[in-house]
Amino acid sequence: MNLEQFKSKKKEFLTYLQVERNLSDHTLRAYEGDLRQFITFWEYLAPAEQKSLGLRQIIERYLVGLFYKKIDKSSIARKFSCFKSFTHFLQSQGIKIDLNLKRPRLDKKLPVYLSIDEMFHLLDSVNNNELPTRYPLRDKTILELLYATGVRCSELISMRLCDIDMDNKTIRVSGKGKKERIVLFGDKAKDKLAEYILTERPAAKKQDEPLFLNYRKEPFTARSVQRVIEMFRKFLKIDRHITPHKIRHSFATHLLNQGVDLRVVQELLGHKTLASTEKYTHVSLDDLARMCDALHPINTMLKKK
């Protein structure tokens, strides 16, 4: 396969991912960027190398170069996944390329989350007039819903008025791969949501309108949600960077610490496999270990001595 053929198949591949695989816009952009970077690398090869090297050799050179540049392992791993999906796509069209790539081993990172006290401080102790925003009810409702439901930022901005069932306190959300699921919220979030819709949100002309709108009455973007969450940062007693995903981490960790079954948390988060949810158990075990050290009788006796 030469460079021009690769470019042609790249377009077909991205269309396949969007239409057949229903991948998220975020993943599509990432894969498109990965393939564009690889094409740039290929174009900069000497003409003699472009003719003599096969696709497998060029990909291997590209990936080795990334290691030498000390690119983040998670970024390299995603590029491996991109090439793997691309070769499967080519095979479905009768083009066989045996890459036999091995993804780099990623360092396991425990999710960063806020404590229960920190979350309740942000939700209950920060007054509307303290927030540097024209729409304090909207912004507090965003924070409340992220924590009450554990949804992703992309799921929050895709919520429509017709997706909300106030009586049963549920919301239908569209997750990764356009998969729908039902998330739950409590009375506190229900009151906040109702107050926002009745007070700050412009009157809806139809029920399929987005739940959250900006000052131009346009749908919220992921960047807008990130700015809202970052706004609450100055109200934390310990200054640290907070994001919508860290609120999601907090939701999952706090549920597990309260004894909620792992599979229930998996369902609420919309994880495809249990392995994706299990990372939160490490955090819970760490909390339990600290609690055991502090409260176990044998340890308290040692402190008295």
Side-chain angles (χ1 to χ4, degrees), residues 8 43 218 266:
S8 175
E43 289 173 337
E218 296 171 344
Q266 177 194 359

Tab-separated table of all heavy atoms in Angstrom, residues 8 43 218 266:
chain	number	residue	atom	x	y	z
A	8	SER	N	-6.547	7.485	0.993
A	8	SER	CA	-7.900	7.157	0.544
A	8	SER	C	-8.606	6.252	1.546
A	8	SER	O	-9.776	6.467	1.898
A	8	SER	CB	-7.843	6.493	-0.832
A	8	SER	OG	-9.126	6.061	-1.237
A	43	GLU	N	5.282	11.332	4.738
A	43	GLU	CA	5.625	12.284	3.674
A	43	GLU	C	7.044	12.824	3.816
A	43	GLU	O	7.680	13.201	2.813
A	43	GLU	CB	4.621	13.437	3.672
A	43	GLU	CG	3.231	13.044	3.175
A	43	GLU	CD	2.211	14.147	3.333
A	43	GLU	OE1	2.419	15.036	4.199
A	43	GLU	OE2	1.207	14.134	2.601
A	218	GLU	N	-27.525	29.239	23.257
A	218	GLU	CA	-26.988	28.152	22.442
A	218	GLU	C	-26.606	26.989	23.360
A	218	GLU	O	-26.368	27.196	24.556
A	218	GLU	CB	-25.758	28.619	21.669
A	218	GLU	CG	-26.047	29.713	20.659
A	218	GLU	CD	-24.781	30.310	20.069
A	218	GLU	OE1	-23.686	30.090	20.653
A	218	GLU	OE2	-24.892	30.999	19.047
A	266	GLN	N	-20.843	0.229	38.089
A	266	GLN	CA	-20.524	0.023	36.669
A	266	GLN	C	-21.691	0.438	35.784
A	266	GLN	O	-21.525	1.146	34.787
A	266	GLN	CB	-20.190	-1.447	36.408
A	266	GLN	CG	-19.924	-1.749	34.935
A	266	GLN	CD	-19.933	-3.254	34.628
A	266	GLN	OE1	-20.120	-4.076	35.521
A	266	GLN	NE2	-19.745	-3.600	33.376
